[in-house]
Amino acid sequence: PALGSKLRIVTLWDMLRLDLGQSPQHTIPLLSGLSLRQARVFALMSKLETIPSGKRVIQQGDLARDIYVVVDGTLEAWVDSHGDHKTLSTMGRGAVMGEAGYFGQRRTANVDTVAPSRLLRFDSQDLERLRIRYPWIAATIFRNLNRIQAERIARMASDLATQERTTHGRSEVQHLARHVAQMVRDALDSFARMDAEAALAVAREDQSVDREYEALLRQCITFMMEDPRTIRRVMDLIWSVRALERIGD
């Protein structure tokens, strides 16, 4: 009984009655590469929530712990700039929100539902349970999270290239990118040589990356407060920096 009280039992009935919409493994990028059964297993080990229109899902400034995937519905990401409502993006089926929550960062924007929505919510504990019980599914989810981050970096870089040039944080971002790229090279090298000491050295570098990320985030917030016209551009920069920090993790 003591063991059973801490286990979440997934039954065949749970699998059959779970509705993730049409072909979730093809229409939700986080579930790409999974079978329908495996996608349902992941959903059952997460939390499927139905949220009415007009509700706050993510509050700017809150400590982030959860990642959300939009199963259906519409949500708006926005920030409050001196009392002005600045829309950042509108999200629908398949969108991933709050992925930096897995690493315990602060929320940088508000997210509200603008239509009734269903969301998959999961955190680091859910992912750890998935890794232990279904390692192949967990590996696929982690791979997809990395792919989503890589695509976001590429999209933001393309957008930033077409916008007005700014020197805000440019050298700091370049330094962070070089630092993270070197960590990836060192991690692959230590794995290839099975060098535990080198691997531990790479892991310790993460603290330095975190300090760079936090300093850049404070700098970006200061830019937005001083000149609200830069909010959209600086938010794109924050997304890119956050993705780099996650690669370092």
Side-chain angles (χ1 to χ4, degrees):
L3 178 62
S5 66
K6 295 185 179 181
L7 289 177
R8 186 173 182 181
I9 305 300
V10 176
T11 67
L12 178 60
W13 173 244
D14 290 328
M15 296 279 289
L16 292 175
R17 70 187 178 90
L18 182 66
D19 178 20
L20 295 177
Q22 185 176 7
S23 302
Q25 69 274 36
H26 299 135
T27 56
I28 299 178
L30 187 67
L31 305 180
S32 176
L34 300 177
S35 67
L36 179 57
R37 182 189 67 81
Q38 290 166 337
R40 285 174 170 170
V41 166
F42 171 72
L44 287 167
M45 297 198 66
S46 305
K47 305 165 188 70
L48 183 60
E49 301 178 344
T50 301
I51 303 176
S53 178
K55 294 295 183 180
R56 178 70 44 82
V57 178
I58 291 176
Q59 177 68 46
Q60 184 177 2
D62 283 356
L63 183 63
R65 293 186 177 88
D66 301 314
I67 304 174
Y68 297 87
V69 182
V70 182
V71 176
D72 49 49
T74 306
L75 299 96
E76 178 192 34
W78 63 280
V79 294
D80 187 335
S81 172
H82 303 288
D84 292 333
H85 182 111
K86 299 288 185 180
T87 299
L88 302 176
S89 63
T90 301
M91 296 165 287
R93 179 172 173 82
V96 176
M97 308 180 300
E99 64 279 8
Y102 181 63
F103 304 101
Q105 304 295 336
R106 294 280 177 179
R107 304 296 194 190
T108 57
N110 301 303
V111 177
D112 297 339
T113 55
V114 296
S117 303
R118 290 192 304 146
L119 308 176
L120 275 177
R121 177 169 63 89
F122 58 96
D123 58 20
S124 58
Q125 292 181 344
D126 295 325
L127 289 174
E128 180 62 15
R129 283 193 294 269
L130 186 70
R131 184 189 66 81
I132 293 171
R133 296 182 60 186
Y134 303 98
W136 193 90
I137 297 177
T140 303
I141 294 296
F142 279 115
R143 181 201 66 190
N144 289 340
L145 272 174
N146 287 330
R147 178 180 295 166
I148 289 167
Q149 285 295 300
E151 290 173 351
R152 181 166 288 165
I153 290 176
R155 188 165 55 249
M156 294 302 176
S158 177
D159 290 344
L160 288 170
T162 63
Q163 294 176 6
E164 180 184 352
R165 295 284 179 151
T166 177
T167 59
H168 293 335
R170 179 185 298 177
S171 61
E172 291 87 348
V173 173
Q174 289 175 340
H175 184 271
L176 178 61
R178 286 193 293 267
H179 192 169
V180 169
Q182 185 61 50
M183 285 179 66
V184 172
R185 286 192 290 269
D186 291 344
L188 292 173
D189 184 60
S190 64
F191 178 75
R193 294 187 289 109
M194 301 299 288
D195 188 335
E197 288 299 323
L200 288 172
V202 174
R204 287 191 289 267
E205 281 295 308
D206 180 52
Q207 295 180 358
S208 177
V209 168
D210 288 344
R211 287 193 295 270
E212 290 184 57
Y213 169 77
E214 290 166 4
L216 261 170
L217 190 60
R218 288 193 296 269
Q219 189 178 21
C220 288
I221 291 172
T222 301
F223 292 150
M224 290 189 290
M225 292 176 63
E226 292 176 349
D227 186 358
R229 294 172 300 176
T230 67
I231 286 177
R232 185 61 180 266
R233 184 167 65 251
V234 174
M235 283 302 299
D236 286 343
L237 186 63
I238 287 175
W239 279 114
S240 299
V241 170
R242 174 183 286 181
L244 287 170
E245 189 272 340
R246 185 181 183 280
I247 292 172
D249 286 325

